[in-house]
């Protein structure tokens, strides 16, 4: 049986893939911290559900359509989680499959902090430039 926080990560990813931002953001604490590595237009530190929703809105505005994430593996316990995923992106007629490791902290059965750094961060930065 999967840990409840693994189920949370899988459910949140499914919500994001369906474009259900309300359900996706509900999986996060109101004061969530979200860290995006790199030097591109999405890089930075975001706080709160509004900040997380804002960076995803900005990403969707740069893409030809919503991104989708295919989960390769997901591990979680009471405090931490790791999600290994491939994110499928399309922009300006170009496509990219970005391998993403994401690290999570949990509090009160919700995601309280996220670190996102692509396997090839330079390629992601160039894709969004």
């Amino acid at each position: 049986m999967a840990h409840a926080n693994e189920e949370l990560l899988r459910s949140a990813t499914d919500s994001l893939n369906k474009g259900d931002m309300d359900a996706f953001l509900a999986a996060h604490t109101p004061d969530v911290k979200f860290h995006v590595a790199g030097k591109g237009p999405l890089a930075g530190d975001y706080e709160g559900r509004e900040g997380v929703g804002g960076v995803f809105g900005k990403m969707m505005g740069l893409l030809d359509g919503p991104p989708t994430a295919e989960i390769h593996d997901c591990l979680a316990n009471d405090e931490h989680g790791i999600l290994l995923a491939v994110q499928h992106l399309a922009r300006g007629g170009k496509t990219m499959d970005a391998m993403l490791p994401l690290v999570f902290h949990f509090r009160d059965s919700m995601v309280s902090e996220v670190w996102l750094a692509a396997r090839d961060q330079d390629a992601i930065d160039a894709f969004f430039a």
Side-chain angles (χ1 to χ4, degrees):
M1 178 176 230
H3 190 281
N5 285 334
E6 178 182 340
E7 294 295 332
L8 175 72
L9 294 178
R10 290 181 183 278
S11 176
T13 301
D14 187 52
S15 294
L16 189 60
N17 285 342
K18 292 176 180 175
D20 186 348
M21 286 303 294
D22 289 336
F24 173 74
L25 293 172
H28 298 75
T29 61
D31 63 344
V32 63
K33 292 176 178 46
F34 195 85
H35 312 282
V36 180
K39 298 177 183 169
L42 303 175
D45 297 316
Y46 303 88
E47 291 193 31
R49 288 176 179 156
E50 185 175 304
V52 173
V55 72
F56 276 93
K58 184 175 183 180
M59 180 190 344
M60 290 180 197
L62 293 170
L63 295 173
D64 295 343
T68 58
E70 179 183 339
I71 295 175
H72 175 71
D73 206 352
C74 182
L75 309 163
N77 61 32
D78 291 342
E79 295 181 27
H80 303 100
I82 297 173
L83 183 69
L84 304 174
V86 176
Q87 189 172 47
H88 306 289
L89 307 165
R91 180 171 192 234
K94 296 179 185 179
T95 61
M96 178 178 213
D97 291 334
M99 296 176 74
L100 304 176
L102 295 100
V103 177
F104 300 86
H105 278 181
F106 302 107
R107 186 178 75 241
D108 301 328
S109 301
M110 291 182 278
V111 173
S112 61
E113 195 157 8
V114 182
W115 289 266
L116 185 153
R119 178 173 161 241
D120 187 348
Q121 192 61 54
D122 290 338
I124 288 282
D125 291 344
F127 186 80
F128 281 105

